[in-house]
Amino acid sequence: MTIETDLRAAADRAHADSLLLHEIVHGDAQTTVTTENGPVKSVAKVIVDVEASVAAHMTDITQAVDAADAAQTAAELARDEALDARDAALAAVGTVAVSATDSAPGRLVAKIEAGLGLGATVVDPGGDERLSLDLAPQIHVGALVALARSFI
């Protein structure tokens, strides 16, 4: 080989490579150029592919953000309900209900209605309180007279 043939070969390679580079730079959105090292997309094709990928993933990202927002809203609602339940439980401490449908739970002493023959007394007020119930039998006068007559 001579210098002239070497230069000619180098010039031919440079010219062929410049044609490939021209196709890569100026090719349309469908162009893929075959090179010695494999296929190379044109710049326009790379841009279109990247835009399509971003658009495809934007839907996923938007859905993920929407799901995260919904989860946050649900978590905040659950927290608020838990706080309300805690507050209701704390308010109910020390109260009793007469039945499951009692609309006004209260202190035990207020829920016992003492009446004829029944007395309720708070023992050791302010200390270790207890509720003492006293039963005083009530005898009806008519029943007493009838009982007495039965013995005569």
Side-chain angles (χ1 to χ4, degrees), residues 9 27 30 58 82 123:
Q30 285 79 37
M58 281 305 289
V123 178

Side-chain angles (χ1 to χ4, degrees), residues 59-83:
T59 300
D60 295 340
I61 291 169
T62 301
Q63 289 173 347
V65 168
D66 291 346
D69 287 343
Q72 179 181 4
T73 299
E76 289 171 350
L77 178 61
R79 178 205 59 212
D80 293 345
E81 289 173 348
L83 290 174

Side-chain angles (χ1 to χ4, degrees), residues 46-61:
V46 169
I47 290 171
V48 166
D49 290 352
V50 167
E51 287 175 344
S53 177
V54 167
H57 289 93
M58 281 305 289
T59 300
D60 295 340
I61 291 169

Side-chain angles (χ1 to χ4, degrees), residues 88-98 104-108 111:
L90 289 173
V93 169
T95 63
V96 294
V98 173
R107 299 281 179 202
L108 178 61
K111 288 295 188 174

Side-chain angles (χ1 to χ4, degrees), residues 3-147:
I3 290 182
E4 184 179 328
T5 57
D6 288 345
L7 286 174
R8 174 57 95 192
D12 289 344
R13 274 194 313 269
H15 179 68
D17 289 345
S18 73
L19 292 175
L20 289 175
L21 185 57
H22 181 81
E23 285 185 64
I24 292 169
V25 171
H26 297 288
D28 63 20
Q30 285 79 37
T31 301
T32 300
V33 179
T34 303
T35 67
E36 292 175 7
N37 288 320
V40 175
K41 295 178 183 179
S42 70
V43 172
K45 183 167 178 55
V46 169
I47 290 171
V48 166
D49 290 352
V50 167
E51 287 175 344
S53 177
V54 167
H57 289 93
M58 281 305 289
T59 300
D60 295 340
I61 291 169
T62 301
Q63 289 173 347
V65 168
D66 291 346
D69 287 343
Q72 179 181 4
T73 299
E76 289 171 350
L77 178 61
R79 178 205 59 212
D80 293 345
E81 289 173 348
L83 290 174
D84 289 346
R86 180 207 60 195
D87 293 344
L90 289 173
V93 169
T95 63
V96 294
V98 173
S99 71
T101 58
D102 190 346
S103 63
R107 299 281 179 202
L108 178 61
V109 72
K111 288 295 188 174
I112 295 177
E113 188 173 318
L116 188 60
L118 178 64
T121 307
V122 175
V123 178
D124 195 12
D128 181 16
E129 295 182 351
R130 292 172 311 287
L131 185 61
S132 175
L133 300 176
D134 300 310
L135 184 60
Q138 299 291 320
I139 299 176
H140 189 271
V141 173
L144 186 58
V145 169
L147 182 63

